[in-house]
């Protein structure tokens, strides 16, 4: 994809979404040049799914980029991103949350995180059930974690052409988000929607979309 196209893609997408929806440009597997192109068109929020790749890109690129970790995160890797990550979308267990809090303390910062909820039927996707998320949010231990801010939820719909199925899954997460928001004042982000389904996600209440291929072109590998 040439640089003109990357800029045009971002511009076109932003023109077609309302101002309350944040666009995360998912740059995984793409070279730093592509990110810099998007950066030079004014974009600042980028998503990566691998710690090593995100760290390398962080080091190579301007420091006002906001890095979003959107992929599965192993506890032993939190330390590599704790100093700079802007938002972790993919927290799906208590021990991980505890580790993020511990590493955040070391860097004297508060790290915003989202809980990843499994809404898809496929069993390859990570994430907690609604019940697990509620138990986690209501647990006493979590109140001790002063260096994390649980700011909302993330979910991925089933990979299918059936729009009705996708809409139902997003709707269920939106309903859950609204319910939790009543007792969790920090809740503000509902991260749902990828290149193939972001319009359905927005129709169903998403305010943060994670788009890769519609911006940077198709990936040869995941
Ligand atoms: C790769 C990825 C995306 C972006 O996928 P596209 O289909 O290229 O838009 C969004 N979210 C997560 C969690 C991803 O891993």
């Amino acid at each position: 994809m040439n640089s003109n196209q990357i800029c045009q893609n971002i511009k076109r997408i932003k023109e077609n979404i309302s101002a309350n929806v944040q666009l995360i440009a998912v740059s995984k597997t793409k070279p730093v040049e592509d990110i810099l192109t998007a950066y030079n068109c004014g974009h600042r929020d980028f998503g990566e799914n691998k710690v090593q790749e995100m760290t390398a890109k962080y080091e190579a690129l301007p420091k006002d980029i906001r890095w979003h970790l959107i992929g599965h995160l192993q506890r032993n890797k939190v330390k590599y991103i704790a100093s700079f990550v802007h938002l972790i979308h993919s927290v799906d267990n208590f021990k991980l949350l505890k580790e993020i809090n511990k590493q955040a303390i070391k860097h004297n910062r508060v790290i915003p995180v989202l809980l990843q909820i499994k809404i898809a039927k496929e069993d390859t996707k990570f994430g907690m059930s609604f019940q697990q998320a509620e138990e986690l949010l209501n647990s006493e231990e979590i109140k001790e974690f002063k260096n994390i801010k649980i700011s909302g939820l993330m979910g991925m719909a089933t990979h299918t052409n059936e729009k009705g199925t996708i809409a139902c899954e997003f709707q269920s997460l939106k309903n859950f988000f609204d319910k939790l928001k009543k007792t969790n004042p920090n809740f503000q982000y509902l991260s749902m929607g990828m290149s193939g389904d972001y319009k359905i996600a927005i129709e169903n209440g998403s305010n943060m979309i994670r788009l890769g291929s519609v911006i940077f072109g198709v990936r040869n590998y995941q």
Side-chain angles (χ1 to χ4, degrees):
M1 177 113 6
N2 73 38
S3 46
N4 258 336
Q5 275 172 298
I6 292 174
C7 283
Q8 279 168 17
N9 291 340
I10 291 175
K11 197 163 167 266
R12 179 175 38 83
I13 293 160
K14 282 188 176 161
E15 277 168 5
N16 286 294
I17 60 178
S18 69
N20 74 307
V21 179
Q22 276 193 49
L23 170 62
I24 314 302
V26 176
S27 47
K28 63 187 185 192
T29 80
K30 298 294 176 182
V32 292
E33 291 75 22
D34 286 2
I35 300 175
L36 207 48
T37 298
Y39 179 89
N40 288 330
C41 314
H43 200 72
R44 291 293 179 272
D45 289 270
F46 294 90
E48 291 284 337
N49 67 339
K50 294 207 171 81
V51 165
Q52 212 179 352
E53 188 175 342
M54 187 164 100
T55 306
K57 286 172 173 173
Y58 163 74
E59 278 162 12
L61 285 158
K63 294 298 170 283
D64 60 339
I65 285 178
R66 294 183 288 265
W67 292 102
H68 296 248
L69 200 278
I70 61 171
H72 184 64
L73 176 58
Q74 284 172 310
R75 248 183 296 152
N76 61 359
K77 295 196 174 161
V78 175
K79 57 177 176 284
Y80 301 116
I81 59 168
S83 69
F84 69 90
V85 68
H86 179 72
L87 177 64
I88 301 174
H89 292 228
S90 45
V91 173
D92 65 359
N93 65 79
F94 177 82
K95 283 180 166 175
L96 177 58
L97 211 47
K98 188 173 176 176
E99 177 65 15
I100 296 168
N101 185 64
K102 182 178 152 192
Q103 296 299 331
I105 292 170
K106 287 190 187 168
H107 295 279
N108 193 25
R109 61 183 295 235
V110 174
I111 299 181
V113 304
L114 307 179
L115 302 181
Q116 181 173 352
I117 310 295
K118 183 176 148 56
I119 50 172
K121 301 292 172 290
E122 298 137 330
D123 43 58
T124 49
K125 301 258 158 80
F126 293 102
M128 291 184 268
S129 65
F130 290 163
Q131 192 188 340
Q132 286 169 328
E134 280 197 290
E135 281 169 11
L136 191 143
L137 286 166
N138 293 331
S139 71
E140 282 304 314
E141 296 108 303
I142 224 130
K143 300 188 178 78
E144 307 297 318
F145 296 165
K146 305 289 186 210
N147 291 65
I148 50 161
K149 184 175 169 189
I150 305 181
S151 307
L153 304 175
M154 185 270 251
M156 280 190 268
T158 303
H159 190 75
T160 172
N161 291 325
E162 286 175 46
K163 292 189 172 169
T165 302
I166 297 169
C168 271
E169 291 174 358
F170 284 147
Q171 184 69 63
S172 73
L173 192 56
K174 165 70 168 150
N175 290 342
F176 187 54
F177 177 84
D178 288 342
K179 177 183 168 192
L180 295 179
K181 202 174 178 337
K182 290 179 189 150
T183 48
N184 294 274
N186 286 334
F187 263 47
Q188 51 178 328
Y189 302 122
L190 180 55
S191 169
M192 51 184 204
M194 305 173 32
S195 291
D197 59 18
Y198 74 93
K199 289 176 186 159
I200 305 173
I202 292 170
E203 279 165 19
N204 288 283
S206 169
N207 61 16
M208 190 173 262
I209 54 177
R210 310 175 310 271
L211 307 188
S213 41
V214 287
I215 294 173
F216 297 109
V218 290
R219 291 177 298 275
N220 298 323
Y221 57 100
Q222 284 303 305

